[in-house]
Amino acid sequence: VKSQQASIVHTEKVVKKMHVMVALDESEYSKQVLRWSAENMMKRADKITLVHAYGYSPMTFFPGPKGERKSLGTVNEVIKKEATKASTEYLQQLGKFCNQLGYQAELKLLLARPVVSEKQAILAYTEKTKPDVLVVGSRGMGAFGRMFLGSTSDFLVHNCKSAVMVVREADIEQQLEKPHREEAGGQA
C-alpha cells in the first residue's frame, strides 16, 4: 500500500535583490531624496550605497608681498584637506540618517574637482560598481539652467548604463502630503 501523503510543493517567489545607489549633493534637498529612496526603493535592495562627489577650487596664485607668500602647494593641500573633511562629515550625517530610516548603507566619497565634474565622477563610479539603480534628485532647474549649467540628473540619465531614477521636487512634495491624505480619509 502506497503512502497517501500529500506532497507539499514549496513555491517561493524568487525576488532578485538589487544594488541601489543614491547620489547626494550638499543641498538640503538631499535628505528628502534619501527619505524618498528609503520609502520607495531601498526595501528591494540587498546593497545600498550613498555616494557624494565633492570638489575644491585650488588657488592659482597667492596674493601678498613676495617675502610672505606661502607655497601654493601647501595652501592647496589645506584647501583639499578641509573640503575632504567637510564632505566626509556630511556623508556620515546622511549615513546616520539612513540608519534612522532603517537601512544600512555603504558610504562612498568621490573626489571630483579640480580633475573632473561631480557628475562625471558619479558616472565613472557607476561604471565601476554597476548598481542596478542610481537615484538622483532634480531641483527643476528648467531648460535655461540646464543649457548653461548642465543638469547632473539629465547628464546621468543620458550617459549612465544603470537605470536612473530621478526624484523631482514634485515627487517629494507628493510623498510629504501622503500622511495628510491618509489621515483625511484619502482626500487631499
Side-chain angles (χ1 to χ4, degrees):
V1 176
K2 290 186 177 179
S3 172
Q4 295 187 358
Q5 294 179 350
S7 68
I8 300 172
V9 178
H10 292 282
T11 56
E12 293 182 22
K13 192 175 188 180
V14 178
V15 178
K16 179 188 180 285
K17 292 285 190 169
M18 63 180 164
H19 178 193
V20 174
M21 183 178 291
V22 184
L24 303 160
D25 60 14
E26 291 187 24
S27 70
E28 202 164 304
Y29 182 60
S30 285
K31 210 168 187 180
Q32 296 170 334
V33 169
L34 186 53
R35 183 185 308 276
W36 184 95
S37 299
E39 293 177 8
N40 295 282
M41 299 298 296
M42 291 182 184
K43 57 187 124 199
R44 300 180 202 135
D46 61 341
K47 181 177 181 183
I48 300 165
T49 305
L50 305 183
V51 63
H52 174 59
Y54 75 103
Y56 69 98
S57 299
M59 294 182 70
T60 56
F61 72 95
F62 192 78
K66 287 185 181 183
E68 295 180 22
R69 290 187 184 172
K70 292 185 178 180
S71 161
L72 276 179
T74 303
V75 171
N76 286 331
E77 282 303 313
V78 170
I79 293 170
K80 179 181 177 181
K81 182 178 177 182
E82 289 302 312
T84 302
K85 179 181 174 190
S87 294
T88 300
E89 289 171 358
Y90 177 74
L91 188 57
Q92 288 172 340
Q93 287 174 358
L94 291 175
K96 287 177 185 174
F97 182 63
C98 189
N99 289 343
Q100 291 170 357
L101 295 171
Y103 297 96
Q104 288 284 86
E106 172 186 315
L107 307 178
K108 183 61 181 176
L109 189 62
L110 305 172
L111 175 60
R113 287 181 289 111
V115 179
V116 297
S117 69
E118 285 81 351
K119 57 189 166 189
Q120 290 169 324
I122 294 167
L123 178 64
Y125 189 67
T126 61
E127 289 173 353
K128 178 181 171 186
T129 59
K130 298 177 181 23
D132 296 296
V133 178
L134 173 65
V135 180
V136 295
S138 173
R139 290 175 276 179
M141 172 181 327
F144 187 75
R146 283 193 308 272
M147 183 173 70
F148 287 103
L149 300 174
S151 161
T152 298
S153 58
D154 192 52
F155 175 83
L156 292 168
V157 164
H158 288 93
N159 294 288
C160 188
K161 293 177 182 162
S162 299
V164 178
M165 173 69 70
V166 179
V167 181
R168 303 168 301 146
E169 280 185 291
D171 298 326
I172 299 292
E173 291 168 7
Q174 186 178 18
Q175 191 79 30
L176 293 174
E177 291 175 4
K178 195 179 191 180
H180 302 294
R181 276 190 253 138
E182 290 170 0
E183 289 170 9
Q187 298 175 5

